[in-house]
Amino acid sequence: MATVISLLNHKGGVGKTTSAINIGAGLVELGKRVLLIDLDPQANLSLSLGIPRQPVTIYESIMGESDLSPFVVRENFHVVTSSLDLSSAEMELVNEAGREFILRELFAGVEDDYDFIIIDCPPSLGLLTLNALTSSQQVIIPLQTEFLALQGLAKIKQVIQKVKLRLNKELHISGVLATMYDSRKVLNRDVVETIKKYFGPILLKTYIRDTVALAEAPASRQDIFSYSPSSNGSKDYMAVAKEVIERTANPIHLRERSDKTTPKT
Ligand SMILES: Nc1ncnc2c1ncn2[C@@H]1O[C@H](COP(=O)(O)OP(=O)(O)OP(=O)(O)O)[C@@H](O)[C@H]1O
Ligand SMILES: [Mg+2]
């Protein structure tokens, strides 16, 4: 049965999509069967992999018009694409009973076909993200190692806690991923130290370095392993994919921290 992981941060531009694609591709390199779900109406994940507009996207499936219809990028690497239509789904579903569980129902039909299902969430905490959280076992929070990285995190933790309590007991934060890290920048080093203090062992050991190839790969419609296999981006995401496998096999059991205060960096 597939392990479902949401990449979540309601802050924009922190590396959710880049991480969903490249953790997914890393897991495929390691022999896993992976399904990526583009749950963002911006469709950045679908566009970054150069997938042409599909007749059935996540929108049609969420609206009950079709089962999931993944696009095959290559063997063991499949993607359910998105489109701008998805932006109206939250409003269209407002009177739908059980609207928080639509994605979970859709996964029931495919969960034996994959080892990992990875969801690229939109930069918001609305109904789409709620669907991602009710259908996931794990959440990975990408954090850009810049000023205000941790701002708003208390809110994310609160939402995850509520979903865990009311809708999905299995849900937990399995990793915080430092992204766009430049060890030459004092600020980046300071922010990582703060994240480490705040999250302890939940912080993944690998930091994703600020790497030009990671920003270029989407323009070539490729994941980092196809675009630049020897780049730091490939090395970092491969290391993260290994950590994801390790954490799935041996989950970190931590008592949730009760402090609600968030450091300022
Ligand atoms: N490690 C990195 N090094 C250099 N550039 C990066 C890195 N990670 C991501 N980027 C670039 O930063 C930008 C934002 O990344 P990305 O789209 O993954 O963020 P996001 O959190 O999905 O954004 P959104 O909230 O809009 O969906 C993109 O242009 C991406 O190519
Ligand atoms: Mg994105």
Side-chain angles (χ1 to χ4, degrees):
M1 218 176 82
T3 298
V4 185
I5 304 176
S6 281
L7 272 291
L8 173 66
N9 189 336
H10 60 316
K11 224 181 242 270
V14 297
K16 293 182 287 293
T17 303
T18 307
S19 299
I21 292 172
N22 294 309
I23 292 173
L27 290 167
V28 173
E29 294 285 310
L30 292 166
K32 304 295 180 190
R33 299 166 301 162
V34 174
L35 175 66
L36 301 183
I37 307 288
D38 187 348
L39 198 60
D40 186 348
Q42 298 179 97
N44 288 349
L45 186 146
S46 311
L47 296 168
S48 298
L49 288 170
I51 304 173
R53 168 77 203 223
Q54 298 297 297
V56 174
T57 69
I58 191 68
Y59 172 75
E60 284 76 21
S61 299
I62 282 184
M63 296 311 293
E65 292 164 20
S66 170
D67 289 339
L68 293 177
S69 177
F71 177 87
V72 178
V73 177
R74 56 178 178 270
E75 197 188 357
N76 293 334
F77 195 26
H78 297 182
V79 177
V80 173
T81 60
S82 179
S83 77
L84 198 54
D85 294 338
L86 189 61
S87 57
S88 62
E90 300 202 345
M91 269 170 61
E92 290 177 62
L93 290 169
V94 80
N95 291 318
E96 182 88 8
R99 59 189 176 279
E100 304 90 347
F101 296 109
I102 299 171
L103 205 54
R104 185 149 104 181
E105 280 167 25
L106 288 167
F107 288 168
V110 298
E111 60 195 358
D112 289 335
D113 300 338
Y114 300 100
D115 299 305
F116 288 94
I117 298 176
I118 296 182
I119 307 173
D120 181 24
C121 291
S124 69
L125 294 173
L127 182 60
L128 291 171
T129 295
L130 194 55
N131 264 272
L133 294 178
T134 58
S135 58
S136 296
Q137 291 97 50
Q138 302 183 25
V139 178
I140 293 179
I141 303 176
L143 285 184
Q144 191 178 352
T145 49
E146 291 291 348
F147 180 56
L148 299 178
L150 293 162
Q151 194 206 30
L153 264 188
K155 179 73 186 166
I156 301 181
K157 287 178 79 178
Q158 201 184 5
V159 170
I160 292 171
Q161 279 292 46
K162 274 192 189 159
V163 173
K164 187 182 170 76
L165 198 67
R166 296 179 184 161
L167 302 170
N168 178 9
K169 299 258 173 299
E170 282 184 287
L171 187 68
H172 64 283
I173 301 175
S174 60
V176 166
L177 177 61
T179 63
M180 302 183 221
Y181 178 70
D182 183 344
S183 61
R184 295 165 303 180
K185 293 187 183 164
V186 176
L187 177 63
N188 283 197
R189 292 202 305 269
D190 285 353
V191 171
V192 160
E193 283 311 309
T194 310
I195 296 172
K196 211 184 279 177
K197 273 191 209 128
Y198 189 58
F199 282 103
I202 298 180
L203 177 65
L204 290 159
K205 291 188 187 73
T206 310
Y207 309 155
I208 305 298
R209 284 168 281 185
D210 195 338
T211 311
V212 176
L214 282 169
E216 289 170 348
S220 293
R221 310 288 186 250
Q222 286 175 307
D223 61 76
I224 195 65
F225 301 97
S226 309
Y227 178 70
S228 183
S230 59
S231 66
N232 286 339
S234 285
K235 288 175 196 145
D236 293 348
Y237 275 111
M238 177 51 66
V240 172
K242 287 179 181 164
E243 284 196 71
V244 167
I245 291 173
E246 166 63 23
R247 286 194 182 196
T248 301
N250 303 303
I252 296 184
H253 289 294
L254 287 175
R255 266 184 304 142
E256 293 291 333
R257 292 181 58 154
S258 57
D259 52 341
K260 290 252 175 353
T261 48
T262 309
K264 286 199 177 56
T265 40

